[in-house]
């Protein structure tokens, strides 16, 4: 059985499954799913400045931590946020993290990522993109040394972006979060992360829903799900876990959040994993942002 936590290269412990909160902004939207997630073993909450929900999440978590019946302490939680492209650069990044901490009402964040390799209002080919993201990462290294962030990393970096960072950084990123599913199995990027002991965290594991709602037909996926008496969504999530990637499935439905927590009860055969590994060869799709042209 796969482990439900991963050890990062600094010795930190990261939950293998977390709750994605993209497109949910209010306490009204978030509280039912956060509550259900925590009840079913989730301890990682994934946010970002651009999601505009840090303050709402902070209020919910404060309530949970103040409730003696919850059995949850701050050290049990793994809270992630990310830098908006508008805040790229050393000083802006440093201040952005402090503002995120203030909105969350927390003394530290467990993980903070540079959300995107580019800068807002900057042409894709402008070398300022590289200059800014390098400066932002230096700010994260400083915040890490100060204990305001327990782990640092990046998101949506290509192999080129990540290798460039590795050639210049003091602290190897602990985590890289990027789009990863059978239709976009970024093998070279995964391999680079593995060589440097960077934990891969997959987002859009269900292809924004397209891989399970028929928008992108994967007929054999249903065959695998039926064979194991499970759902297509859980097959996709389990595929990621079998590769030892962290996952952050998002849902506005508490029932779906509960269902996703049962990923540990799913088993896949070697031939199932092999088939999913090869989907991209004939059926490649990217459902989210494409960073490949950013200088």
């Amino acid at each position: 059985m796969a482990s439900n936590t991963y050890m990062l290269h600094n010795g930190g412990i990261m939950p293998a499954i977390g709750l994605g909160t993209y497109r949910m902004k209010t306490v009204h939207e978030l509280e039912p799913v956060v509550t259900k997630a925590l009840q079913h073993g989730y301890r990682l909450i994934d946010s970002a400045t651009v999601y505009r929900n840090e303050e709402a999440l902070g209020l919910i978590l404060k309530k949970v931590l103040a409730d003696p019946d919850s059995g949850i302490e701050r050290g049990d939680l793994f809270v992630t946020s990310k830098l908006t492209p508008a805040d790229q650069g050393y000083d802006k990044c440093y201040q952005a993290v402090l503002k995120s901490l203030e909105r969350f009402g927390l003394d530290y964040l467990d993980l903070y990522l540079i959300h995107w390799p580019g800068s807002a209002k900057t042409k894709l080919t402008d070398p300022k993109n590289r200059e800014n993201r390098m400066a932002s990462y230096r700010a994260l290294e400083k915040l890490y040394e100060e204990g305001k962030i327990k782990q640092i990393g990046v998101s949506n970096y290509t192999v080129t972006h990540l290798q460039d960072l590795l050639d210049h950084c003091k602290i190897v990123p602990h985590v890289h979060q990027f789009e990863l599913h059978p239709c976009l199995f970024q093998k070279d990027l995964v391999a680079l992360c593995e060589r440097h002991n960077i934990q891969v965290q997959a987002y859009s594991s269900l292809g924004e829903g397209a891989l399970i709602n028929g928008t992108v037909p994967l007929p054999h996926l249903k065959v695998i799900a039926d064979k194991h008496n499970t759902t297509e969504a859980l097959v996709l999530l389990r595929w990621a876990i079998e590769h030892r990637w962290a996952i952050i499935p998002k849902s506005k439905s508490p029932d779906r959040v509960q269902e996703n927590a049962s990923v540990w009860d799913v088993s896949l055969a070697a031939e199932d994993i092999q088939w999913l590994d090869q989907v991209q060869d004939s059926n490649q799709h990217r459902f989210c942002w494409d960073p490949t042209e950013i200088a």
Side-chain angles (χ1 to χ4, degrees):
M1 182 175 179
S3 172
N4 60 6
T5 60
Y6 300 137
M7 180 176 285
L8 305 177
H9 68 70
N10 66 341
I13 302 297
M14 178 180 180
I17 184 170
L19 179 68
T21 64
Y22 179 47
R23 295 192 180 125
M24 291 186 282
K25 292 188 173 74
T26 67
V27 171
H28 177 73
E29 285 179 294
L30 287 159
E31 191 161 26
V33 292
V34 172
T35 301
K36 182 67 76 171
L38 294 175
Q39 287 172 348
H40 287 273
Y42 290 69
R43 292 297 180 263
L44 189 155
I45 306 294
D46 180 86
S47 181
T49 299
V50 295
Y51 299 172
R52 298 181 183 177
N53 63 14
E54 292 170 315
E55 191 169 357
L57 285 168
L59 292 171
I60 295 166
L61 295 178
K62 182 179 180 181
K63 188 174 171 182
V64 169
L65 295 172
D67 179 5
D69 293 331
S70 75
I72 297 174
E73 300 178 356
R74 173 65 184 96
D76 301 324
L77 296 173
F78 193 101
V79 181
T80 301
S81 198
K82 313 182 197 78
L83 183 75
T84 171
D87 288 330
Q88 288 274 28
Y90 188 94
D91 291 334
K92 281 186 174 181
C93 176
Y94 191 94
Q95 291 302 317
V97 173
L98 298 185
K99 288 174 184 173
S100 283
L101 286 168
E102 186 178 333
R103 285 190 289 268
F104 271 110
L106 297 174
D107 296 327
Y108 67 89
L109 289 167
D110 298 274
L111 176 64
Y112 196 88
L113 309 174
I114 296 175
H115 205 161
W116 184 249
S119 297
K121 299 179 181 177
T122 305
K123 289 184 179 179
L124 298 179
T125 55
D126 193 329
K128 191 76 176 173
N129 288 305
R130 178 184 183 274
E131 179 184 329
N132 282 346
R133 67 176 173 266
M134 289 295 193
S136 295
Y137 197 81
R138 288 197 301 274
L140 294 191
E141 290 176 325
K142 176 70 170 171
L143 288 153
Y144 174 76
E145 290 167 354
E146 293 173 349
K148 294 181 175 69
I149 309 171
K150 299 299 184 182
Q151 279 83 210
I152 60 177
V154 296
S155 180
N156 295 301
Y157 277 36
T158 64
V159 167
T160 301
H161 299 141
L162 183 56
Q163 186 61 64
D164 188 28
L165 176 61
L166 289 167
D167 290 341
H168 295 90
C169 63
K170 287 193 299 180
I171 301 167
V172 172
H174 301 105
V175 176
H176 185 195
Q177 182 188 117
F178 54 95
E179 183 178 350
L180 189 56
H181 45 73
C183 288
L184 194 69
F185 184 0
Q186 302 192 58
K187 296 179 184 180
D188 290 346
L189 190 50
V190 168
L192 180 59
C193 289
E194 290 176 347
R195 284 198 298 275
H196 292 273
N197 205 14
I198 300 168
Q199 177 62 52
V200 170
Q201 187 175 45
Y203 77 74
S204 195
S205 295
L206 311 184
E208 296 284 278
L211 302 182
I212 57 173
N213 65 15
T215 303
V216 176
L218 295 178
H220 195 64
L221 180 60
K222 187 174 188 315
V223 173
I224 294 172
D226 289 346
K227 179 173 70 171
H228 297 291
N229 194 29
T230 187
T231 66
E232 292 161 84
L234 283 170
V235 168
L236 293 170
L237 295 177
R238 185 68 197 195
W239 173 74
I241 293 293
E242 291 290 346
H243 281 290
R244 208 186 169 279
W245 306 328
I247 52 174
I248 45 171
K250 182 220 78 171
S251 179
K252 294 183 178 181
S253 161
D255 289 343
R256 185 62 59 81
V257 168
Q258 180 177 343
E259 177 189 310
N260 291 340
S262 63
V263 66
W264 306 110
D265 301 328
V266 177
S267 297
L268 296 180
E271 61 266 24
D272 303 327
I273 297 168
Q274 183 179 15
W275 182 83
L276 291 162
D277 285 353
Q278 295 172 349
V279 166
Q280 176 184 257
D281 297 342
S282 59
N283 196 356
Q284 184 168 341
H285 291 272
R286 184 188 291 273
F287 299 101
C288 304
W289 311 276
D290 187 352
T292 53
E293 299 302 319
I294 297 174

